[in-house]
Amino acid sequence: MNFLDSKTKENLARAFAAECQDGARYQFIAKSSMSEGFSFISDQLKMLAKNEMAHASRFYSLMLKNLGNSKEDNIPIEAGYPFEPPELRSSLQSAAEIELYEAKNIYPAFAKVAKDEGFTEIAEAFTLIAKVEDDHNQILQALADMYKNHCLYRYDDKILWKCSNCGHTHTAKEAWQECPLCTYPQGYVMIPQQKLQQ
């Protein structure tokens, strides 16, 4: 199939726009997290934003590669963009739901269309990115649940807590309120991976 006449061309444009939007939204939520004193959550969101922009870059390069010497002045796309108050818990929850929808619905459907239209490299990119979006969902959902239940820095078992500023570590069921080494507040404590991937 000719790429210029394909549904895959439109899907790539939609995916590019969505990934840019997700990257920007995570930067905004990261800023909000930092203002609430959650440095580690802010760092996690900045990492997710970086991932989303890498996805956008991949979609953009695939678009250019498949356009070849052709040029598209405008690819009309229709998409919804959620706007909500910047409260951290609802922002994390909403982001988790968006990631899950992309992972389980949007990108698998886009991959099928691309495969059916004969664009195997693009289909593979959609499939691989869907897996990353599923990982993002798990991280965001864990953060949203822990934030909602006031257990970001508590765990049922003793685990290793680490200060993201100075590297101080301590094994306990609960993280310190203030790092005994650098005196940074609890928001700089790294949330262990086992809590983010439950």
Side-chain angles (χ1 to χ4, degrees), residues 86-104:
E87 195 274 321
L88 185 56
R89 182 180 60 82
S90 63
S91 295
L92 291 169
Q93 184 62 49
S94 175
E97 291 167 6
I98 290 167
E99 293 286 353
L100 183 62
Y101 192 73
E102 289 174 351
K104 301 298 183 187

Side-chain angles (χ1 to χ4, degrees), residues 97-197:
E97 291 167 6
I98 290 167
E99 293 286 353
L100 183 62
Y101 192 73
E102 289 174 351
K104 301 298 183 187
N105 298 289
I106 301 285
Y107 291 149
F110 285 3
K112 183 181 182 329
V113 168
K115 185 177 178 185
D116 290 348
E117 291 182 338
F119 302 106
T120 55
E121 182 181 15
I122 296 171
E124 180 67 14
F126 282 131
T127 300
L128 292 173
I129 290 172
K131 291 177 184 175
V132 176
E133 304 300 18
D134 192 41
D135 290 343
H136 288 180
N137 163 259
Q138 291 177 37
I139 291 167
L140 290 162
Q141 189 63 61
L143 288 171
D145 292 344
M146 288 183 283
Y147 186 86
K148 176 184 172 186
N149 297 319
H150 307 287
C151 64
L152 282 166
Y153 298 107
R154 286 181 299 163
Y155 198 62
D156 294 336
D157 301 314
K158 289 184 176 183
I159 56 174
L160 183 68
W161 300 98
K162 185 174 185 174
C163 178
S164 65
N165 180 57
C166 71
H168 172 73
T169 60
H170 180 71
T171 301
K173 288 185 176 184
E174 190 168 335
W176 53 83
Q177 292 295 315
E178 180 179 277
C179 178
L181 177 58
C182 69
T183 70
Y184 269 47
Q186 190 177 59
Y188 283 81
V189 175
M190 297 170 69
I191 299 169
Q193 284 296 72
Q194 65 254 45
K195 286 192 75 167
L196 295 176
Q197 298 175 329

